[in-house]
Amino acid sequence: MTGSYPAILGMDLGDRSYKPNITSHWLGRRAYERNEIITLSIHFKNPVTGGSPWIGGDKGDTLKTVKRILPRGDHNSKLNEVLDEVASWAHSFTDSQGKLIPAIFGYLHELNGGWFWWGLNNKAQNTAQELQELYLYTVQYLRDQKGVHNFLYAYSPDKFASKDDYLKTYPGDDVVDIFGMDWYYASPSDLKTTLHRSVKDVVEMAEKRNKVPALTETGYMGDGINKFPNFWQEYILDILKSDPTTKRIAFVHTWSNHCYGNAYCEIWVPYKGHPAESAFVTNFYNDSLTILSNQLPQSIY
């Protein structure tokens, strides 16, 4: 639509087998050569049960999962196996000259929600303190034991009611670089005013701690882009432009369009020929506040 790649490439380390690793290294290297920012999430299986990241469908014993994978837990070695694979991926993520490529690692994203085994208020009965300990342990393990030094770490809760609520599971300034937030329009109760307040809170908290603020995931669930063709201007860009504080959000990241078969697709951004194409190009891409890959400075790294 625009003649440009996005400024952000997002990838997931949920599958760390040979072929996905080769693919993600290649895609990441190409993005790096275009001066783009690389972000990583990890939807990894429950180390205790082997079940899905989404706890609802897990038939195993998920009770106190996080406590059981921490040091002194009976499944800590299973967590370490995952982290060893992540470290191996990071050490192999290099450019054509063998130089390590930096990436933002969004570990335990949406940890204040109830849908992942690493979340709150679900049948795992994890506590906020246990989640803090898991985040801290992971960064220290990767950085200090495995020598991973090309990751920046993003802390990205889901929707939150206040700054105190946002910080409820915060693991500490020593192990967080990015103050993120995952915020989707999912129901009529999700208001633009709430997004504005949330972004402003994140920017203020990040700047107070000398961190980078980011909207680490956003979009309109249920293929909202099909119903609201000007979504990216009216529901995202106009919110960010509404005051000097929200303008200082560093980046906005969305999910990937994906088709599952049987003609069912999840659409987060328009594509060439989509009814929202013109509005996206005219009102979002062409706005002076937005920067895509072709506008990134050569010196960004």
Side-chain angles (χ1 to χ4, degrees):
M1 296 185 299
T2 65
S4 173
Y5 286 94
I8 310 287
L9 171 68
M11 301 189 291
D12 193 89
L13 298 181
D15 185 348
R16 297 165 304 282
S17 58
Y18 178 75
K19 286 186 177 179
N21 282 351
I22 292 295
T23 301
S24 57
H25 282 149
W26 185 83
L27 289 171
R29 188 177 299 119
R30 293 295 303 275
Y32 176 73
E33 291 167 352
R34 295 189 297 263
N35 292 308
E36 294 163 17
I37 306 300
I38 294 112
T39 71
L40 305 168
S41 56
I42 179 166
H43 290 81
F44 62 120
K45 293 179 180 179
N46 187 314
V48 174
T49 67
S52 166
W54 289 269
I55 196 169
D58 194 331
K59 306 300 183 187
D61 180 10
T62 60
L63 184 64
K64 303 307 293 183
T65 290
V66 170
K67 185 176 182 180
R68 294 178 66 183
I69 62 177
L70 286 168
R72 300 179 301 281
D74 61 337
H75 279 68
N76 177 246
S77 62
K78 290 293 185 181
L79 171 64
N80 291 346
E81 289 175 9
V82 173
L83 299 181
D84 288 346
E85 291 172 350
V86 172
S88 177
W89 188 96
H91 288 311
S92 302
F93 190 35
T94 59
D95 64 14
S96 58
Q97 306 301 314
K99 180 182 176 183
L100 288 169
I101 298 173
I104 296 169
F105 188 32
Y107 186 59
L108 302 183
H109 69 295
E110 301 170 7
L111 73 173
N112 60 337
W115 39 93
F116 295 129
W117 61 257
W118 59 82
L120 292 174
N121 303 315
N122 58 33
K123 59 185 179 180
Q125 296 183 26
N126 305 312
T127 67
Q129 181 179 348
E130 288 165 352
L131 290 171
Q132 290 171 332
E133 291 175 5
L134 177 57
Y135 200 109
L136 178 64
Y137 172 80
T138 294
V139 175
Q140 291 176 337
Y141 185 90
L142 292 174
R143 183 189 64 198
D144 304 334
Q145 294 192 43
K146 306 304 292 187
V148 173
H149 297 295
N150 52 327
F151 278 179
L152 295 173
Y153 293 91
Y155 170 72
S156 298
D158 198 68
K159 296 184 179 82
F160 57 94
S162 65
K163 290 180 179 178
D164 286 343
D165 188 36
Y166 178 91
L167 295 169
K168 180 168 57 179
T169 51
Y170 183 61
D173 291 347
D174 291 344
V175 291
V176 171
D177 303 289
I178 314 291
F179 265 49
M181 170 183 67
D182 290 5
W183 204 101
Y184 286 95
Y185 289 93
S187 73
S189 63
D190 294 326
L191 305 176
K192 298 176 187 177
T193 52
T194 308
L195 175 61
H196 175 267
R197 188 268 306 164
S198 301
V199 172
K200 190 170 184 177
D201 282 350
V202 167
V203 172
E204 289 174 349
M205 287 186 289
E207 292 180 345
K208 183 179 180 180
R209 292 167 173 81
N210 198 28
K211 308 298 181 184
V212 177
L215 186 48
T216 40
E217 281 186 41
T218 193
Y220 202 125
M221 289 189 170
D223 296 336
I225 190 70
N226 295 336
K227 307 179 198 125
F228 303 99
N230 207 22
F231 166 78
W232 283 100
Q233 179 199 353
E234 292 181 8
Y235 287 77
I236 301 296
L237 185 58
D238 285 353
I239 309 305
L240 303 183
K241 293 175 67 175
S242 61
D243 75 49
T245 303
T246 52
K247 275 184 180 180
R248 296 197 297 273
I249 199 83
F251 67 81
V252 176
H253 186 48
T254 188
W255 208 245
S256 58
N257 294 347
H258 190 79
C259 292
Y260 297 89
N262 300 320
Y264 171 67
C265 299
E266 286 185 347
I267 305 300
W268 303 101
V269 290
Y271 47 83
K272 196 162 184 65
H274 188 277
E277 177 186 2
S278 176
F280 184 85
V281 173
T282 302
N283 302 328
F284 186 80
Y285 172 69
N286 285 337
D287 191 276
S288 60
L289 191 65
T290 59
I291 295 175
L292 272 69
S293 176
N294 61 352
Q295 298 159 303
L296 289 170
Q298 291 296 312
S299 60
I300 194 164
Y301 281 103

